[in-house]
Amino acid sequence: MRAQCSTLHINWRVDADVSGFFDNIDRRHLRELSKQRVNDGGILRLIGKWLNASVLEAGKLSYPEKGTPQGGVASPLLANIFLHHVLDEWCVKEVQPRMKGRCFLTRFADDVIIGCESKTDAQRVMAVLPKRFGRFNLTSHPEKTALIAFNKPLRREHSARGKGTFDFLGFTHYWATTSRGYWVIKRKTVGKRLRRFLKGIWTWCRENRHAPLTEQYRRLCAKLRGYYHYHGIRGNLKALRTVLEHTRRAWRYWLSRRSHKGHLHWQKYEASMRDQFPLPKPRIIHHI
Protein backbone atom coordinates (compact mmCIF):
# COMPACT_ATOMS: atom_id res chain seq x y z
CA MET A 1 0.00 0.00 0.00
CA ARG A 2 2.85 2.39 0.82
CA ALA A 3 4.31 1.88 -2.68
CA GLN A 4 0.89 2.33 -4.32
CA CYS A 5 0.38 5.63 -2.53
CA SER A 6 3.66 6.96 -3.91
CA THR A 7 3.58 5.60 -7.46
CA LEU A 8 -0.11 6.30 -8.13
CA HIS A 9 0.05 9.80 -6.60
CA ILE A 10 -2.77 9.05 -4.21
CA ASN A 11 -3.89 12.21 -2.40
CA TRP A 12 -7.07 11.09 -0.64
CA ARG A 13 -7.95 8.12 1.55
CA VAL A 14 -11.31 6.61 2.37
CA ASP A 15 -10.86 4.82 5.69
CA ALA A 16 -13.79 2.39 5.80
CA ASP A 17 -14.94 0.47 8.85
CA VAL A 18 -17.88 -1.95 9.17
CA SER A 19 -19.87 -1.74 12.39
CA GLY A 20 -19.67 -5.09 14.20
CA PHE A 21 -18.70 -6.93 11.04
CA PHE A 22 -18.28 -10.46 12.38
CA ASP A 23 -21.50 -10.17 14.40
CA ASN A 24 -23.59 -8.87 11.49
CA ILE A 25 -22.60 -10.98 8.48
CA ASP A 26 -25.77 -11.99 6.63
CA ARG A 27 -25.67 -15.79 6.53
CA ARG A 28 -27.98 -16.02 3.52
CA HIS A 29 -25.61 -13.90 1.42
CA LEU A 30 -22.63 -15.80 2.81
CA ARG A 31 -24.09 -19.18 1.81
CA GLU A 32 -24.82 -17.90 -1.71
CA LEU A 33 -21.28 -16.58 -2.12
CA SER A 34 -19.83 -19.82 -0.76
CA LYS A 35 -21.75 -21.81 -3.36
CA GLN A 36 -20.14 -19.73 -6.11
CA ARG A 37 -16.70 -20.91 -5.01
CA VAL A 38 -17.35 -24.36 -3.55
CA ASN A 39 -19.02 -27.23 -5.45
CA ASP A 40 -18.49 -29.91 -2.82
CA GLY A 41 -21.72 -30.53 -0.93
CA GLY A 42 -19.86 -31.95 2.06
CA ILE A 43 -17.85 -28.76 2.47
CA LEU A 44 -21.01 -26.63 2.17
CA ARG A 45 -22.70 -28.69 4.88
CA LEU A 46 -19.63 -28.29 7.08
CA ILE A 47 -19.79 -24.51 6.56
CA GLY A 48 -23.43 -24.62 7.60
CA LYS A 49 -22.49 -26.44 10.81
CA TRP A 50 -19.80 -23.86 11.56
CA LEU A 51 -22.31 -21.04 11.14
CA ASN A 52 -24.91 -22.73 13.32
CA ALA A 53 -22.49 -23.57 16.11
CA SER A 54 -23.64 -22.58 19.58
CA VAL A 55 -21.93 -19.90 21.67
CA LEU A 56 -21.25 -20.33 25.39
CA GLU A 57 -21.05 -16.97 27.16
CA ALA A 58 -21.23 -16.40 30.93
CA GLY A 59 -22.47 -19.98 31.37
CA LYS A 60 -25.37 -19.49 28.96
CA LEU A 61 -25.69 -21.34 25.64
CA SER A 62 -27.09 -19.37 22.70
CA TYR A 63 -27.54 -19.84 18.95
CA PRO A 64 -26.98 -16.54 17.09
CA GLU A 65 -29.05 -16.13 13.94
CA LYS A 66 -26.51 -13.91 12.15
CA GLY A 67 -22.80 -13.40 12.03
CA THR A 68 -19.99 -15.91 12.34
CA PRO A 69 -18.90 -17.47 15.67
CA GLN A 70 -16.34 -15.28 17.43
CA GLY A 71 -13.07 -17.19 17.61
CA GLY A 72 -14.28 -19.87 15.23
CA VAL A 73 -11.56 -21.46 13.11
CA ALA A 74 -13.51 -20.81 9.90
CA SER A 75 -14.66 -17.25 10.71
CA PRO A 76 -11.67 -15.42 9.12
CA LEU A 77 -11.94 -17.54 5.95
CA LEU A 78 -15.70 -17.02 5.62
CA ALA A 79 -15.34 -13.31 6.32
CA ASN A 80 -12.74 -12.97 3.55
CA ILE A 81 -15.01 -14.79 1.08
CA PHE A 82 -17.81 -12.42 2.00
CA LEU A 83 -15.81 -9.19 1.77
CA HIS A 84 -14.01 -10.30 -1.38
CA HIS A 85 -17.31 -10.04 -3.19
CA VAL A 86 -18.63 -7.04 -1.28
CA LEU A 87 -15.52 -4.88 -1.69
CA ASP A 88 -12.63 -6.38 -3.71
CA GLU A 89 -14.53 -7.45 -6.83
CA TRP A 90 -16.81 -4.43 -6.63
CA CYS A 91 -13.83 -2.05 -6.57
CA VAL A 92 -12.14 -3.68 -9.57
CA LYS A 93 -15.23 -4.17 -11.74
CA GLU A 94 -17.39 -1.19 -10.87
CA VAL A 95 -15.48 1.51 -9.01
CA GLN A 96 -12.14 1.78 -10.82
CA PRO A 97 -13.64 1.99 -14.37
CA ARG A 98 -15.77 4.96 -13.25
CA MET A 99 -12.98 6.93 -11.60
CA LYS A 100 -11.42 9.92 -13.36
CA GLY A 101 -8.09 9.37 -11.65
CA ARG A 102 -6.25 6.35 -10.31
CA CYS A 103 -7.38 4.46 -7.21
CA PHE A 104 -6.75 1.25 -5.31
CA LEU A 105 -8.23 -0.79 -2.46
CA THR A 106 -6.24 -2.48 0.29
CA ARG A 107 -8.02 -4.73 2.75
CA PHE A 108 -7.01 -6.94 5.65
CA ALA A 109 -10.10 -8.71 7.04
CA ASP A 110 -12.55 -5.86 7.70
CA ASP A 111 -9.91 -3.08 7.79
CA VAL A 112 -10.23 -1.26 4.47
CA ILE A 113 -8.36 1.61 2.85
CA ILE A 114 -9.46 3.01 -0.53
CA GLY A 115 -6.98 5.44 -2.05
CA CYS A 116 -7.99 7.97 -4.72
CA GLU A 117 -5.96 10.40 -6.77
CA SER A 118 -8.63 13.13 -6.83
CA LYS A 119 -10.91 14.48 -4.15
CA THR A 120 -13.97 14.17 -6.40
CA ASP A 121 -13.43 10.43 -6.81
CA ALA A 122 -12.92 10.00 -3.08
CA GLN A 123 -16.17 11.84 -2.35
CA ARG A 124 -18.04 9.64 -4.82
CA VAL A 125 -16.69 6.53 -3.10
CA MET A 126 -17.70 7.89 0.30
CA ALA A 127 -21.22 8.52 -0.99
CA VAL A 128 -21.71 5.09 -2.56
CA LEU A 129 -19.96 2.98 0.09
CA PRO A 130 -22.87 2.95 2.61
CA LYS A 131 -25.24 1.89 -0.19
CA ARG A 132 -22.92 -0.98 -1.10
CA PHE A 133 -22.78 -2.13 2.50
CA GLY A 134 -26.56 -1.80 2.78
CA ARG A 135 -27.10 -4.27 -0.06
CA PHE A 136 -25.52 -6.94 2.15
CA ASN A 137 -27.15 -5.80 5.42
CA LEU A 138 -23.98 -4.16 6.69
CA THR A 139 -23.51 -0.63 8.00
CA SER A 140 -20.46 1.61 7.95
CA HIS A 141 -19.23 2.94 11.28
CA PRO A 142 -20.23 6.65 11.41
CA GLU A 143 -17.13 7.75 13.34
CA LYS A 144 -14.42 5.43 12.02
CA THR A 145 -15.35 5.81 8.33
CA ALA A 146 -13.73 9.02 7.16
CA LEU A 147 -12.28 10.87 4.17
CA ILE A 148 -8.67 11.86 4.82
CA ALA A 149 -6.46 14.22 2.83
CA PHE A 150 -2.99 12.78 2.40
CA ASN A 151 -1.42 14.76 -0.40
CA LYS A 152 2.33 14.96 -0.83
CA PRO A 153 3.81 18.19 0.62
CA LEU A 154 5.53 20.64 -1.70
CA ARG A 155 9.33 20.55 -1.85
CA ARG A 156 9.65 24.01 -0.37
CA GLU A 157 7.65 23.02 2.70
CA HIS A 158 9.66 22.09 5.77
CA SER A 159 6.84 20.38 7.61
CA ALA A 160 4.08 17.97 6.67
CA ARG A 161 1.83 19.38 9.39
CA GLY A 162 -1.76 19.57 8.23
CA LYS A 163 -1.23 17.05 5.44
CA GLY A 164 -3.03 14.36 7.41
CA THR A 165 -2.10 10.93 8.65
CA PHE A 166 -3.92 7.64 8.74
CA ASP A 167 -3.65 4.44 10.75
CA PHE A 168 -3.73 0.98 9.23
CA LEU A 169 -2.93 -2.37 10.85
CA GLY A 170 -1.32 -0.78 13.88
CA PHE A 171 0.90 1.72 12.01
CA THR A 172 0.54 5.46 11.52
CA HIS A 173 1.39 6.51 7.96
CA TYR A 174 2.78 10.03 7.57
CA TRP A 175 4.88 12.18 5.25
CA ALA A 176 8.52 12.85 6.20
CA THR A 177 11.73 13.86 4.47
CA THR A 178 14.77 11.70 3.81
CA SER A 179 18.35 12.76 4.49
CA ARG A 180 18.47 14.03 0.90
CA GLY A 181 15.37 16.16 1.33
CA TYR A 182 12.86 14.01 -0.57
CA TRP A 183 9.33 13.49 0.74
CA VAL A 184 8.49 9.85 1.47
CA ILE A 185 5.78 7.99 3.35
CA LYS A 186 7.01 6.61 6.64
CA ARG A 187 5.36 4.40 9.23
CA LYS A 188 5.50 4.20 12.99
CA THR A 189 3.60 2.32 15.66
CA VAL A 190 0.25 3.89 16.50
CA GLY A 191 0.73 5.87 19.71
CA LYS A 192 -2.29 4.33 21.43
CA ARG A 193 -1.07 0.80 20.74
CA LEU A 194 2.45 1.62 21.90
CA ARG A 195 1.16 3.02 25.19
CA ARG A 196 -1.07 -0.02 25.66
CA PHE A 197 1.88 -2.39 25.18
CA LEU A 198 4.07 -0.43 27.62
CA LYS A 199 1.30 -0.48 30.20
CA GLY A 200 0.90 -4.22 29.70
CA ILE A 201 4.63 -4.81 30.26
CA TRP A 202 4.54 -2.76 33.47
CA THR A 203 1.50 -4.69 34.74
CA TRP A 204 3.04 -8.05 33.84
CA CYS A 205 6.30 -7.29 35.65
CA ARG A 206 4.34 -6.23 38.75
CA GLU A 207 2.14 -9.31 38.81
CA ASN A 208 4.97 -11.79 38.11
CA ARG A 209 7.79 -10.25 40.17
CA HIS A 210 7.85 -13.23 42.54
CA ALA A 211 8.21 -15.82 39.76
CA PRO A 212 11.64 -17.42 39.17
CA LEU A 213 14.02 -15.10 37.34
CA THR A 214 14.61 -17.58 34.53
CA GLU A 215 10.88 -17.82 33.88
CA GLN A 216 10.46 -14.04 33.92
CA TYR A 217 13.38 -13.67 31.55
CA ARG A 218 12.01 -16.26 29.14
CA ARG A 219 8.57 -14.65 29.04
CA LEU A 220 9.90 -11.10 28.60
CA CYS A 221 12.17 -12.20 25.76
CA ALA A 222 9.21 -13.84 24.04
CA LYS A 223 7.12 -10.68 24.41
CA LEU A 224 9.87 -8.46 23.00
CA ARG A 225 10.66 -10.77 20.07
CA GLY A 226 6.97 -10.95 19.22
CA TYR A 227 6.75 -7.16 19.26
CA TYR A 228 9.88 -6.78 17.11
CA HIS A 229 8.64 -9.31 14.55
CA TYR A 230 5.46 -7.35 13.89
CA HIS A 231 6.55 -3.75 14.45
CA GLY A 232 10.14 -4.13 13.26
CA ILE A 233 9.74 -2.18 10.02
CA ARG A 234 12.14 0.31 8.53
CA GLY A 235 11.72 3.75 10.11
CA ASN A 236 10.19 2.43 13.34
CA LEU A 237 13.38 1.77 15.30
CA LYS A 238 12.65 4.57 17.78
CA ALA A 239 9.47 2.83 18.99
CA LEU A 240 11.35 -0.47 19.35
CA ARG A 241 14.04 1.16 21.48
CA THR A 242 11.35 2.79 23.63
CA VAL A 243 9.82 -0.63 24.25
CA LEU A 244 13.19 -2.15 25.23
CA GLU A 245 14.12 0.65 27.63
CA HIS A 246 10.68 0.64 29.23
CA THR A 247 10.88 -3.13 29.72
CA ARG A 248 14.28 -2.81 31.39
CA ARG A 249 13.01 -0.11 33.75
CA ALA A 250 9.82 -1.98 34.60
CA TRP A 251 11.66 -5.24 35.29
CA ARG A 252 14.30 -3.58 37.44
CA TYR A 253 11.68 -1.57 39.36
CA TRP A 254 9.50 -4.55 40.29
CA LEU A 255 12.42 -6.90 40.97
CA SER A 256 13.71 -4.39 43.51
CA ARG A 257 10.39 -4.69 45.34
CA ARG A 258 10.32 -8.47 45.67
CA SER A 259 11.24 -8.09 49.34
CA HIS A 260 12.54 -5.37 51.64
CA LYS A 261 15.48 -7.53 52.73
CA GLY A 262 16.71 -8.27 49.25
CA HIS A 263 16.38 -4.79 47.79
CA LEU A 264 17.93 -4.82 44.33
CA HIS A 265 20.21 -1.81 43.91
CA TRP A 266 21.10 -0.27 40.58
CA GLN A 267 24.72 -1.36 40.81
CA LYS A 268 23.73 -4.97 41.43
CA TYR A 269 21.30 -4.85 38.55
CA GLU A 270 23.97 -3.49 36.21
CA ALA A 271 26.54 -6.06 37.31
CA SER A 272 24.39 -9.19 37.26
CA MET A 273 21.06 -8.82 35.46
CA ARG A 274 22.32 -7.30 32.22
CA ASP A 275 25.08 -9.88 31.96
CA GLN A 276 23.13 -12.96 32.95
CA PHE A 277 19.75 -11.99 31.45
CA PRO A 278 20.32 -9.70 28.45
CA LEU A 279 17.03 -8.70 26.84
CA PRO A 280 16.88 -8.99 23.03
CA LYS A 281 17.87 -5.83 21.22
CA PRO A 282 15.55 -4.17 18.66
CA ARG A 283 15.79 -5.48 15.13
CA ILE A 284 14.37 -4.31 11.82
CA ILE A 285 12.76 -7.47 10.47
CA HIS A 286 10.90 -6.02 7.47
CA HIS A 287 12.87 -3.77 5.14
CA ILE A 288 10.11 -3.20 2.56
Side-chain angles (χ1 to χ4, degrees):
M1 183 185 66
R2 178 168 166 267
Q4 288 177 306
C5 292
S6 301
T7 57
L8 299 180
H9 304 288
I10 301 299
N11 298 314
W12 294 86
R13 307 285 185 282
V14 176
D15 191 352
D17 187 90
V18 183
S19 297
F21 172 65
F22 286 93
D23 294 330
N24 293 290
I25 294 179
D26 189 292
R27 294 184 178 180
R28 180 178 61 85
H29 286 300
L30 180 56
R31 288 190 179 95
E32 293 175 355
L33 296 175
S34 299
K35 290 179 182 178
Q36 296 178 10
R37 295 183 168 275
V38 180
N39 294 323
D40 192 322
I43 297 297
L44 293 175
R45 286 192 296 272
L46 184 59
I47 290 175
K49 291 181 179 180
W50 273 325
L51 293 176
N52 295 321
S54 58
V55 177
L56 183 63
E57 187 174 2
K60 295 182 179 180
L61 196 65
S62 61
Y63 293 86
E65 297 181 355
K66 61 179 182 179
T68 59
Q70 288 288 344
V73 294
S75 293
L77 176 62
L78 297 175
N80 273 323
I81 292 175
F82 192 82
L83 282 181
H84 179 76
H85 177 78
V86 175
L87 288 174
D88 301 351
E89 290 184 347
W90 170 70
C91 182
V92 173
K93 296 180 180 179
E94 299 185 29
V95 174
Q96 290 180 343
R98 290 178 171 83
M99 295 291 100
K100 295 181 180 180
R102 290 170 288 188
C103 73
F104 73 92
L105 180 145
T106 296
R107 180 181 65 82
F108 186 86
D110 59 333
D111 292 331
V112 184
I113 292 289
I114 302 176
C116 298
E117 187 175 5
S118 68
K119 183 178 181 180
T120 304
D121 289 341
Q123 291 173 335
R124 291 175 63 190
V125 172
M126 276 288 292
V128 76
L129 197 58
K131 300 177 183 178
R132 179 64 179 178
F133 285 154
R135 289 183 56 186
F136 298 89
N137 298 326
L138 298 174
T139 56
S140 57
H141 197 288
E143 297 179 359
K144 296 182 180 180
T145 301
L147 179 62
I148 304 171
F150 196 68
N151 52 307
K152 181 180 179 180
L154 300 176
R155 281 193 174 185
R156 61 176 178 272
E157 296 181 3
H158 297 288
S159 173
R161 185 177 301 172
K163 297 302 177 182
T165 63
F166 69 93
D167 298 336
F168 188 63
L169 301 181
F171 294 101
T172 297
H173 295 66
Y174 64 100
W175 286 103
T177 55
T178 64
S179 57
R180 296 184 179 181
Y182 297 106
W183 287 106
V184 295
I185 299 174
K186 292 187 176 183
R187 296 166 294 173
K188 61 181 179 180
T189 305
V190 174
K192 181 171 64 176
R193 292 201 175 190
L194 177 60
R195 290 190 295 272
R196 185 170 60 192
F197 184 83
L198 298 181
K199 183 179 179 180
I201 287 289
W202 185 270
T203 302
W204 188 92
C205 290
R206 182 189 64 199
E207 295 176 349
N208 294 272
R209 62 184 183 272
H210 295 296
L213 281 180
T214 54
E215 177 63 18
Q216 291 188 49
Y217 175 69
R218 186 185 66 82
R219 293 289 299 278
L220 285 174
C221 288
K223 290 177 181 293
L224 289 176
R225 291 193 185 100
Y227 191 89
Y228 297 160
H229 273 275
Y230 185 83
H231 294 88
I233 62 173
R234 189 172 57 186
N236 198 37
L237 188 60
K238 182 179 179 180
L240 304 186
R241 288 172 175 167
T242 299
V243 167
L244 175 60
E245 290 305 317
H246 176 84
T247 303
R248 284 174 175 168
R249 288 196 301 270
W251 199 23
R252 176 176 61 87
Y253 179 87
W254 289 110
L255 282 181
S256 67
R257 280 150 181 80
R258 294 180 69 167
S259 67
H260 295 290
K261 295 181 179 180
H263 185 78
L264 184 64
H265 296 282
W266 171 254
Q267 292 80 3
K268 185 177 180 180
Y269 176 79
E270 284 288 326
S272 61
M273 296 299 296
R274 292 208 179 193
D275 293 334
Q276 296 180 26
F277 303 104
L279 294 174
K281 296 181 179 180
R283 288 182 55 206
I284 299 301
I285 307 296
H286 313 285
H287 292 275
I288 57 175

